[in-house]
Amino acid sequence: MISLASPTPSLLPPKLPERRNGVLHADLCVIGAGSGGLSVAAGAVQMGASVVLIEKGAMGGDCLNTGCVPSKALIAAAHAAHAVRDGSRFGVHTAAPEIRFDEVHAHVHGVIGAIAPHDSVERFQGLGVHVIQAVGRFIDRETVEAGGEKVMARRFVVASGSRAAVPPIPGLAESGFLTNESIFELTERPDHLIVLGGGPIGIEMAQAFRRLGSQVTVIEKFGILSRDEPEAVDVVRAALVRDGVTLLERTGVGKVSRHDGLVTVTLDGDGETGRSVSGSHILVAAGRRPNVEGLGLDAAGVETTPKGITVDARLRTSNRKVFAIGDVSGGPQFTHIAGYHAGIVIRNALFGLPAKVNYAALPWVTYTDPELAHAGLTEADARKAGHEVQVLTWSFDGNDRAQAERATEGLAKIVLGRKGRILGATIVGPRAGELIGTWGLAISAGLKIGAVASAVMPYPTLSEISKRAAGSYYTPKLFGPLTRRIVGFVQRILP
């Protein structure tokens, strides 16, 4: 994951940590070199702070090595395979794609390798960061020990991330399973991948592996993508079924076993009790668990819950010298949120500014085909919060660019409050992740719907769907009886 700070060193010489009486003294000590930790370290050192960065594993953390980057690289390969199969709708006819999974693996790791230098030890040392590659843990409220070094700092930032949560299903541990930390190491395509969990990670991987030729079954205890707008989820669900993914929703798992190279999942729920599904591999994608173990948080006086480290709106822990950011802080678990947290912490820790987190415009994207993107409140959340809600929708089949690309499935759904205030937006359709930024900006800036309705979008582009949806707010007024009377009067008096 590329740091959100500048990729080039500061014009001024960096301020380095000082060693006094065998102890490193720094302005800032960061534990964890994932997205958030790297952004804090790079930003702080370039602003003149001395920084120690501690990382026990690979630089770049989960996002670069086992998360966002490899998953999107795999999805890109799946898109390519699907494009070959689907070309006939444009009059382009080809043979079925030959998928060489070892080359797909090489592509995924080639992408990781291309990005890794931006997050490397060498780059951060070049910026002036003192990097320690070891396990870091607090030994008291103001000291961290790592690799035989003791570090004291004015402020500490815990950015240790999260890992896949493994549900306590009988037989699962003994049967062998994949998580996001191991699935991208496969060099042979699974014959039948069973996915436990219908959240974004599980659904993305299900569609990707299906398009790369695996049989795929998803088992979800509730409904897939349960945090998103139901209308948008229906579009994604239909696409998955059309691709050949088997969805078992509202279905639990009784037990898991492995015999003769096959893993068997015994089902429980919605009439499935007692039935089983067998496959070659099983992927656990049933949520995330914060990495709080082994950090010596008790010694530091840092309070935790099962959701992670307890923080306030300024991301301070119960020890006011210690901040926590990203997945470990118990908030939204997205790479871009870790980067956002980094900015909040730098303002608090370096400048003493009372910057606070605000998730009102929080965006997220599920990278299925079609993509599903969201910012702000869903309709249900807005109603629950007591807002006076109005909903606008516009379909991609009314978008000329979508028609040209034969990608007309999906819609934009905009949630408004009183007087046209934008509360939330969901887009499901082609490149929705690229389109949602307009709405995130509008929400964060407190804009009303007229700002988007009056924007000039280039034609023909998918971005016009946002303008069309926004413009529909005014349709009843513009084309109502009052407007007709006004136009008629003006026409009569004009020379």
Side-chain angles (χ1 to χ4, degrees):
M1 169 63 197
I2 299 175
S3 168
L4 301 185
S6 169
T8 56
S10 170
L11 296 177
L12 299 175
K15 180 182 178 184
L16 302 176
E18 298 179 2
R19 189 180 300 278
R20 300 196 296 268
N21 299 321
V23 178
L24 277 175
H25 290 260
D27 294 317
L28 199 65
C29 176
V30 182
I31 301 176
S35 170
L38 292 178
S39 294
V40 169
V45 77
Q46 290 173 102
M47 290 179 182
S50 58
V51 179
V52 173
L53 175 63
I54 301 169
E55 172 54 59
K56 66 178 181 180
M59 296 285 284
D62 181 85
C63 181
L64 172 62
N65 299 288
T66 62
C68 314
V69 170
S71 67
K72 302 315 165 278
L74 185 78
I75 288 169
H79 277 311
H82 182 69
V84 173
R85 294 190 189 97
D86 207 33
S88 59
R89 62 184 175 146
F90 299 104
V92 179
H93 297 267
T94 61
E98 178 188 353
I99 298 170
R100 300 176 182 176
F101 203 78
D102 59 333
E103 295 180 16
V104 173
H105 173 272
H107 154 68
V108 169
H109 287 269
V111 172
I112 295 172
I115 297 174
H118 296 279
D119 294 350
S120 65
V121 172
E122 293 76 17
R123 182 209 164 201
F124 277 79
Q125 287 177 335
L127 290 173
V129 176
H130 185 98
V131 180
I132 301 176
Q133 294 182 278
V135 174
R137 65 181 183 88
F138 287 92
I139 57 176
D140 57 40
R141 293 181 63 89
E142 54 186 23
T143 311
V144 164
E145 184 178 64
E149 293 268 24
K150 290 184 178 179
V151 181
M152 299 186 73
R154 296 178 184 274
R155 296 288 185 270
F156 295 88
V157 179
V158 180
S160 53
S162 65
R163 64 188 184 278
V166 180
I169 298 172
L172 177 61
E174 296 78 15
S175 298
F177 58 87
L178 300 166
T179 68
N180 68 292
E181 295 179 4
S182 54
I183 195 166
F184 301 112
E185 298 302 322
L186 295 177
T187 55
E188 294 185 3
R189 181 180 62 201
D191 291 329
H192 184 179
L193 179 66
I194 299 173
V195 181
L196 300 186
I201 295 173
I203 293 303
E204 287 177 1
M205 291 298 94
Q207 187 180 51
F209 275 92
R210 178 60 190 143
R211 289 184 166 187
L212 290 169
S214 298
Q215 184 179 346
V216 178
T217 300
V218 176
I219 304 172
E220 166 56 45
K221 187 175 182 180
F222 303 104
I224 66 168
L225 304 176
S226 58
R227 295 174 52 202
D228 286 287
E229 296 281 16
E231 305 97 312
V233 175
D234 286 343
V235 175
V236 174
R237 181 184 289 109
L240 293 168
V241 172
R242 188 168 55 252
D243 281 346
V245 176
T246 299
L247 296 177
L248 301 178
E249 299 183 76
R250 291 169 294 282
T251 301
V253 174
K255 64 179 181 178
V256 178
S257 60
R258 182 177 287 276
H259 301 286
D260 300 326
L262 289 179
V263 59
T264 299
V265 177
T266 302
L267 306 177
D268 182 14
D270 261 22
E272 301 284 358
T273 301
R275 193 167 78 87
S276 64
V277 176
S278 295
S280 58
H281 298 71
I282 186 167
L283 169 66
V284 174
R288 307 286 296 173
R289 181 176 177 180
N291 292 325
V292 296
E293 299 85 359
L295 294 174
L297 297 176
D298 288 343
V302 173
E303 296 177 1
T304 65
T305 71
K307 291 184 177 181
I309 295 175
T310 302
V311 296
D312 64 12
R314 295 175 62 181
L315 300 174
R316 298 175 301 181
T317 71
S318 51
N319 178 343
R320 287 297 184 260
K321 291 174 68 76
V322 181
F323 294 80
I325 66 173
D327 288 6
V328 78
S329 66
Q333 296 181 331
F334 302 106
T335 294
H336 48 283
I337 290 299
Y340 168 63
H341 283 177
I344 298 291
V345 163
I346 286 174
R347 279 176 276 173
N348 276 283
L350 298 188
F351 298 104
L353 300 175
K356 297 180 180 181
V357 294
N358 181 354
Y359 300 130
L362 169 65
W364 68 75
V365 183
T366 301
Y367 295 90
T368 47
D369 181 14
E371 291 182 354
L372 196 168
H374 177 82
L377 297 176
T378 64
E379 179 184 354
D381 287 339
R383 294 189 186 280
K384 186 176 180 180
H387 289 286
E388 183 180 309
V389 173
Q390 180 177 352
V391 174
L392 309 175
T393 60
W394 199 270
S395 172
F396 271 100
D397 63 14
N399 179 277
D400 292 357
R401 182 62 178 274
Q403 286 287 356
E405 297 187 359
R406 291 287 187 259
T408 57
E409 288 183 296
L411 55 89
K413 176 179 179 179
I414 315 304
V415 179
L416 304 179
R418 292 183 68 251
K419 298 182 179 180
R421 179 189 170 202
I422 303 169
L423 301 177
T426 290
I427 302 177
V428 58
R431 293 182 284 284
E434 309 296 336
L435 303 176
I436 200 65
T438 295
W439 297 101
L441 176 61
I443 296 167
S444 64
L447 300 181
K448 293 186 177 181
I449 195 65
V452 180
S454 62
V456 179
M457 304 292 188
Y459 174 86
T461 62
L462 298 170
S463 63
E464 288 182 291
I465 193 170
S466 293
K467 179 179 174 66
R468 295 286 189 178
S472 69
Y473 175 76
Y474 298 98
T475 299
K477 297 178 182 179
L478 287 175
F479 300 101
L482 178 59
T483 303
R484 290 176 179 271
R485 288 197 295 270
I486 293 172
V487 170
F489 173 76
V490 172
Q491 291 300 309
R492 287 194 299 272
I493 65 174
L494 283 176

